[in-house]
Amino acid sequence: MVRGAAAAIMAWKRDSAGRDEIRGLIDAIERQAREAVALGERAQRDMGGDRFASYLDFRKKVEEARALATLTEDRLQSLSETRVDDLRAQFEKMDLFLIRLLANATRRYFASMRDDQILPIGARELFEPELRIIEEMRLKLSRPQYADKVAPAVLEDLDATAGIIQRICARAPALPDFSDEPSPPKPVRRLRNLARPVRS
């Protein structure tokens, strides 16, 4: 009995520490999401001057926020189900908030790109990964726990952004591919030179 009680206390302490960690992660997700939106706005302003370096800062912050969301989900699964129902609901609400902010910020960025925007070499490789991320977001939103909570505007942002990115990538310059470049031809002697006698 004593051992059982000790084990229960240990499990309670472990779950309590896990709950504190998850609360901290949820708060961090919100901070990262808001920072990503601010970076997206800066990248949008910089694009007006044909500068795209700040887009990389925006993209990095988005990946950090999404990584935190994945970590939080893993932590929730490692704790006792009966002790995380409230935290799970809080996380799912924050996860939807994150997706909504990122979807809207990404749409605003690409929608502000002019048809005559000067795009840097490699822009296609820079922007195409967004299509994969959008597809991952849509798959997450199709989960049963999210399906009836997603605002139609979020799905509209994701679909519209995917269409814009596809059009941009269609005209964006890609990085040069040297892998299939033919080898330079070897010098060939002219036939008239082959017919000349060799001087001793």
Side-chain angles (χ1 to χ4, degrees), residues 69-199:
T70 300
L71 177 62
T72 305
E73 200 166 15
D74 291 343
R75 291 291 190 269
L76 282 168
Q77 292 176 355
S78 69
L79 295 180
S80 171
E81 287 289 332
T82 58
R83 290 184 54 80
V84 296
D85 286 346
D86 58 327
L87 289 178
R88 189 179 301 281
Q90 188 179 348
F91 164 71
E92 290 174 357
K93 183 178 179 181
M94 180 56 62
D95 202 19
L96 286 173
F97 172 76
L98 170 66
I99 293 175
R100 179 171 59 82
L101 283 186
L102 297 184
N104 186 258
T106 305
R107 180 178 183 176
R108 289 202 312 270
Y109 177 81
F110 286 103
S112 66
M113 195 172 291
R114 306 184 312 272
D115 290 340
D116 62 348
Q117 185 82 48
I118 299 174
L119 299 173
I121 294 176
R124 187 180 304 168
E125 288 80 5
L126 180 64
F127 297 143
E128 278 184 340
E130 293 287 352
L131 297 173
R132 174 184 55 79
I133 292 171
I134 288 173
E135 181 61 25
E136 290 175 356
M137 287 182 177
R138 283 200 61 95
L139 286 174
K140 174 176 276 193
L141 294 177
S142 67
R143 295 178 183 177
Q145 66 267 37
Y146 292 141
D148 60 345
K149 300 175 184 176
V150 182
V154 176
L155 299 177
E156 181 184 341
D157 280 341
L158 292 175
D159 291 341
T161 305
I164 294 170
I165 294 172
Q166 287 169 347
R167 291 195 297 272
I168 291 171
C169 288
R171 67 179 181 86
L175 289 171
D177 183 6
F178 298 104
S179 60
D180 297 327
E181 287 290 321
S183 301
K186 295 181 179 180
V188 179
R189 282 185 169 183
R190 295 180 181 275
L191 291 177
R192 62 174 178 270
N193 292 336
L194 293 176
R196 290 178 180 174
V198 178
R199 294 181 180 178

Side-chain angles (χ1 to χ4, degrees), residues 46-58:
D46 288 351
M47 184 172 54
D50 294 328
R51 298 190 304 273
F52 293 86
S54 55
Y55 171 79
L56 296 176
D57 296 330
F58 167 64

